[in-house]
Structure formats: C-alpha cells, structure tokens
C-alpha cells in the first residue's frame, strides 16, 4: 500500500455496548467479520468470511453499482457456494480489496476444489467515498488481506470502521450539507434460526428510523443546524444539486444459518432490500449502486420457510442501516469537509 500523509481527524467507532442488544451478523454460526480501517483519508473495507462455504445470492437495485463476481451467484449458474464477501470504499478502485481476501483464503486452504488447488470465491461491492478526504488513498489488496487477518466471530465494531469509514448520507443538496454514514449490524433469532445483516450506508437519501419514520441523519438545512427532511423538501419543490452518478451507494450482506438453496438465497437478497426501503428515503436512485448479498451457512439444519426468513431479513437490514448512522461519529477532513453525526444533531 502506498502511504500518504493527511490530517483527517475522526473519533473512534463504537462496539456493541447499547442497553439493547441488537445482535450482529457474527451471531450466525459459520460467519466471521473483519474490518480494515485506513485513518489517512478515511476509508476502509470489510470482509464477511464463510470458511466452510455458504450458499450465496445477490440483488442489485441501485442504478450505478460497482461489483465483482455477482454473475456467479445467479441461481442458474454452476457454483453453489462462496467463501466470503468483500465490501469496500474507494469506488471501483476498492474492488481490488477482494483480491487480498482471495490470497488470504488460499493461504489458509479455503476455496472451491479445482483438483490442482483451491480457488476462493469472493464476490464484492464498493461504495463511492472519494469526496471524503484524499481520493488517492483507497482500499487495495493489502487492505483486503488485513481485513481477513482481523476477522473473528466477535461482534464487529460499528460506525466509522471498515467499508463505512468514509461513508456519508444525505447528499442530495450537496456534500457540504450531508452527514456521516457508517457501518451497522444486527441479528434476529426465531425458532432456533438466526438471520443477521451488516450494512455499509453511504446513501444519497436520508436514513430514517424504521419504526417511527423519523429522519435520523441526512441532508441538513443550509445553516447546517437541522435536518432538512429530503422527502418533504423534494415534494415541496426544492431542487436537488446536480449529482454525479454513482457517488453514493448502500451495500451489505444478509446471512443465515438456515438451510437454503441458491434460489432462496437470491430471494433473501431481494426481500432484504425492503429493509433498505424502510430505512432510507429516497433509496435505489440513479446515483446509488445499492447491492445486497445473502449467505446461507446451513449450520442450523433448519428452514422455517421463506415467509419467515424474508421477514427476518428485511427487519435486520432496516435495523442495521439505522445503527450504521447512529454509531457513526463526526469527522473533519484535511480539506475542511465537516460531516456531523446523528448524535450531533440529535
């Protein structure tokens, strides 16, 4: 990795310590998470590992996605299981981080048996965080390798870490009126089956509480002191700033220990987007590349049915998205960009 000096400042992320335990994606047996956080910009990447392999699916809803190896997850295609998912900042450059995960997995003897060796399969997606700090600093293969080295079954840190390090939300009226995004996680267990989600939220729109529909973080008023409420602002005729396509995006992974098919994994990814729609407004825009992956480890040996699993997937996605901004901390970059957190305006 090329090292460049910068004076970006930001506060440390939070870990699970809330009075209410929302769980995490690592509560799903067979799933590990590791972050790499680069404070020089800031940016980073997050890997979700399934060492024993997991049935995979994906659904891309945003119109400006940046992805890797999503075609192999199509239910009609050959490969059944993958060994990890890489989420990264850095826009298209960040796709390089998955290569580091592939190298780490190969070194540990993990991958698809191709007779002459093992081929690790690591699909991925990136978000655009290049407006936050020095865009020449972005996750690369070394960052992805480091994220794997840090992976564990512990509840992952949330907020300004990994793929959420440089995330911002509410950019419709300009990045100068936006707020800090981040990464969040949650899980639910019903009848002995667990579904968890990990979401890196860099949305163009506002993030809202999925239970109350109140805006948590997003576009601010011109004086920077209050939430603008993007949905209502647009409906009353306020014009958005000119937008560069693909400069946003919410990406994430939904995992379960249920026994599911590849087609069911795809359907879980589809229904998980309902959770994004409950917690982001507007969502799936022409300037977002919203992409959700689904993984099934099968460790529980059970399948409660797609109605239950889909409901759980949408719920944990909505909760994790809201947690991503609630856990975030304000930052001020060396270039003078200030992104307050939800706590600052709360």
């Amino acid at each position: 990795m090329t090292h460049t000096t910068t004076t970006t400042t930001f506060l440390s992320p939070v870990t699970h310590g809330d009075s209410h335990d929302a769980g995490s994606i690592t509560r799903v047996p067979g799933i590990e998470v590791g972050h790499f956080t680069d404070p020089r910009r800031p940016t980073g990447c997050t890997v979700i590992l399934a060492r024993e392999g997991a049935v995979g699916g994906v659904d891309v809803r945003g119109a400006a996605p940046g992805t890797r190896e999503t075609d192999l997850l199509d239910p009609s295609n050959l490969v059944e299981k993958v060994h990890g998912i890489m989420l990264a900042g850095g826009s298209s450059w960040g796709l390089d981080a998955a290569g580091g995960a592939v190298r780490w997995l190969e070194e540990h003897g993990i991958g698809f048996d191709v007779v002459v060796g093992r081929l690790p399969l690591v699909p991925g997606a990136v978000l655009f965080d290049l407006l936050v700090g020095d865009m020449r600093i972005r996750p690369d293969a070394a960052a992805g390798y480091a994220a794997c080295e840090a992976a564990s079954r512990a509840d992952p840190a949330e907020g300004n870490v990994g793929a959420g390090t440089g995330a911002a939300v509410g950019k419709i009226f300009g990045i100068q009126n936006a707020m800090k995004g981040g990464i969040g996680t949650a899980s639910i267990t019903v009848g002995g089956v667990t579904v968890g989600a990990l979401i890196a939220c860099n949305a163009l729109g506002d993030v809202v509480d999925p239970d109350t529909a109140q805006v948590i973080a997003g576009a601010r008023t011109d004086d920077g002191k209050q939430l603008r409420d993007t949905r209502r602002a647009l409906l009353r005729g306020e014009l958005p700033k000119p937008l560069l396509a693909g400069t946003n995006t919410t990406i994430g992974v939904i995992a379960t220990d249920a026994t599911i098919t590849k087609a069911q994994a795809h359907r879980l990814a589809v229904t998980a987007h309902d959770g994004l729609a409950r917690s982001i407004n507007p969502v799936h825009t022409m300037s977002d590349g919203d992409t959700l992956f689904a993984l099934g480890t099968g460790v529980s040996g059970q399948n409660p049915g797609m109605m239950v699993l889909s409901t759980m997937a949408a719920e944990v996605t909505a909760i994790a998205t809201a947690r991503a901004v609630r856990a975030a901390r304000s930052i001020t970059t060396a270039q003078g960009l200030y992104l307050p957190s939800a706590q600052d305006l709360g």
Side-chain angles (χ1 to χ4, degrees):
M1 299 174 64
T2 301
H3 291 278
T4 305
T5 302
T6 183
T7 57
T8 301
T9 59
F10 63 103
L11 299 180
S12 299
V14 301
T15 55
H16 285 281
D18 299 1
S19 57
H20 171 66
D21 181 7
S24 80
I25 194 171
T26 53
R27 307 289 178 92
V28 176
I31 296 296
E32 301 174 46
V33 170
H35 295 304
F36 171 80
T37 302
D38 192 335
R40 296 170 300 147
R41 185 154 74 80
T43 190
C45 60
T46 298
V47 69
I48 299 86
L49 293 179
R51 293 178 187 242
E52 301 302 318
V55 176
V58 68
D59 187 43
V60 181
R61 292 288 180 89
T67 58
R68 165 194 161 109
E69 290 197 312
T70 52
D71 284 351
L72 67 82
L73 297 175
D74 187 290
S76 66
N77 288 341
L78 176 65
V79 174
E80 188 76 11
K81 293 184 176 182
V82 298
H83 308 95
I85 303 291
M86 180 63 71
L87 309 177
S91 192
S92 293
W93 285 291
L95 292 171
D96 288 347
V102 169
R103 180 165 66 89
W104 187 92
L105 287 164
E106 182 187 21
E107 290 176 1
H108 287 76
I110 299 167
F112 180 62
D113 188 354
V114 292
V115 182
V116 293
R118 289 195 172 272
L119 175 64
L121 299 174
V122 185
V126 293
L127 54 79
F128 185 102
D129 59 3
L130 304 181
L131 299 179
V132 181
D134 184 350
M135 62 88 70
R136 295 170 296 179
I137 301 170
R138 53 249 184 177
D140 57 11
Y145 189 96
C148 291
E149 286 278 272
S152 76
R153 290 294 313 281
D155 289 338
E158 300 176 281
N160 300 20
V161 292
T165 307
V169 299
K171 289 160 277 188
I172 288 181
F173 299 101
I175 187 70
Q176 72 280 0
N177 291 326
M179 293 178 64
K180 188 68 184 70
I183 201 163
T185 187
S187 63
I188 296 173
T189 299
V190 175
V193 169
T194 301
V195 177
L198 183 80
I199 303 294
C201 186
N202 185 55
L204 177 69
D206 294 344
V207 177
V208 302
D209 186 301
D211 290 321
T212 67
Q214 296 299 306
V215 178
I216 304 170
R220 293 174 288 145
T221 52
D222 289 339
D223 63 9
K225 297 179 179 179
Q226 301 179 62
L227 291 165
R228 189 186 295 253
D229 193 332
T230 294
R231 177 174 66 93
R232 289 185 169 86
L234 293 174
L235 292 175
R236 64 177 171 256
E238 293 189 33
L239 297 177
K241 298 290 185 181
L243 300 172
L244 180 64
T247 53
N248 307 282
T249 297
T250 296
I251 52 179
V253 177
I254 292 81
T256 180
D257 58 356
T259 302
I260 58 175
T261 66
K262 202 173 177 185
Q264 289 173 327
H266 168 69
R267 182 52 51 182
L268 271 189
V270 170
T271 56
H273 277 281
D274 294 348
L276 290 189
R278 295 174 197 166
S279 54
I280 300 172
N281 197 334
V283 70
H284 305 142
T285 74
M286 292 296 289
S287 292
D288 285 290
D290 302 328
T291 300
L292 294 179
F293 297 90
L295 298 174
T297 67
V299 173
S300 73
Q302 303 179 61
N303 186 324
M306 287 305 293
M307 185 66 72
V308 173
L309 288 175
S310 296
T311 300
M312 295 168 72
E315 186 72 8
V316 292
T317 299
I319 295 169
T321 304
R323 288 183 65 84
V325 296
R326 286 189 165 121
R329 297 291 186 267
S330 63
I331 65 170
T332 302
T333 70
Q335 293 75 22
L337 175 65
Y338 170 61
L339 295 173
S341 69
Q343 299 181 29
D344 296 324
L345 267 67

